[in-house]
Amino acid sequence: MCGISGNISKNLINLDFNKKASLKQNHRGPDFFNYHTEKIFNTNVYLAHNRLSIIDLSDVSNQPFYSPCGNIKLIFNGEIYNFDDLKRTILKNEIFVTSSDTEVLLKLWILFGEKLVDYIKGMFSFVITDSRLGVSYLYRDHFGIKPLFYSFKDDTFLFASDIIYINSIQ
């Protein structure tokens, strides 16, 4: 049970305030915390991840997870049940540096863009930001097993695994 949080805003992001709010989700993932900020086409992006290490325990699977070129960022909470099958079939020509399902999501985004969810089975909520395209996508499994709360206020879109983050920001 990891925790993801962040915001996308036309306004400046108060990094210290956002980090403190994200750390309030530490009960969801006490093994590692990290964040990413960037400006994409006049929009400020903050992504944070509280990690609970389950599938791949190595540091190389820490999040936010980056594409090799650095343009794509991913924060993920959940489990992709068919990630090994995807690696053996439609991703068989890809080179993997982790044994995590997170990297499978990233590879699927690179190949299929927003249609990546057509290939995955599992319980999940995740956010992908692609600075090449200037887009961010939020995904949640169809049954809502992994929570993804969101709110829009004052030109800022907030999202998190736990409502405590959103309440801390507003």
Side-chain angles (χ1 to χ4, degrees):
M1 169 177 81
C2 297
I4 62 173
S5 57
N7 63 63
I8 302 165
S9 181
K10 296 285 183 188
N11 303 317
L12 289 176
I13 293 173
N14 181 328
L15 185 57
D16 288 336
F17 187 72
N18 273 276
K19 285 182 356 187
K20 285 177 187 172
S22 293
L23 285 168
K24 289 182 179 182
Q25 292 192 129
N26 205 42
H27 62 280
R28 298 188 65 85
D31 296 332
F32 184 78
F33 171 77
N34 201 6
Y35 66 92
H36 171 82
T37 61
E38 71 177 307
K39 188 168 193 134
I40 304 173
F41 302 139
N42 298 322
T43 302
N44 298 297
V45 176
Y46 169 80
L47 305 173
H49 189 264
N50 303 78
R51 183 176 182 202
L52 178 63
S53 303
I54 296 175
I55 292 178
D56 183 336
L57 305 180
S58 69
D59 290 347
V60 73
S61 289
N62 286 338
Q63 297 178 43
F65 200 81
Y66 298 86
S67 63
C69 65
N71 290 321
I72 304 164
K73 283 65 76 179
L74 169 66
I75 52 175
F76 168 57
N77 172 32
E79 182 179 353
I80 305 304
Y81 302 142
N82 63 332
F83 83 100
D84 276 331
D85 183 51
L86 292 166
K87 285 172 82 168
R88 284 191 307 273
T89 57
I90 62 175
L91 299 173
K92 66 183 176 201
N93 295 323
E94 298 294 319
I95 297 170
F96 288 87
V97 296
T98 75
S99 57
S100 73
D101 46 359
T102 306
E103 188 175 13
V104 168
L105 288 174
L106 184 78
K107 301 281 187 182
L108 289 171
W109 173 264
I110 292 168
L111 290 174
F112 302 110
E114 63 189 75
K115 302 255 187 225
L116 76 118
V117 291
D118 294 343
Y119 298 92
I120 60 177
K121 295 176 183 151
M123 55 177 180
F124 54 84
S125 63
F126 60 94
V127 178
I128 293 179
T129 297
D130 191 328
S131 56
R132 300 168 308 162
L133 304 174
V135 298
S136 295
Y137 282 87
L138 284 73
Y139 294 93
R140 191 198 68 191
D141 63 83
H142 300 301
F143 296 106
I145 297 169
K146 290 299 178 182
L148 185 59
F149 297 96
Y150 59 90
S151 177
F152 189 78
K153 183 181 180 192
D154 299 330
D155 291 329
T156 300
F157 181 75
L158 304 161
F159 55 88
S161 298
D162 199 315
I163 196 72
I164 195 168
Y165 171 81
I166 293 171
N167 288 339
S168 296
I169 299 291
Q170 292 189 344

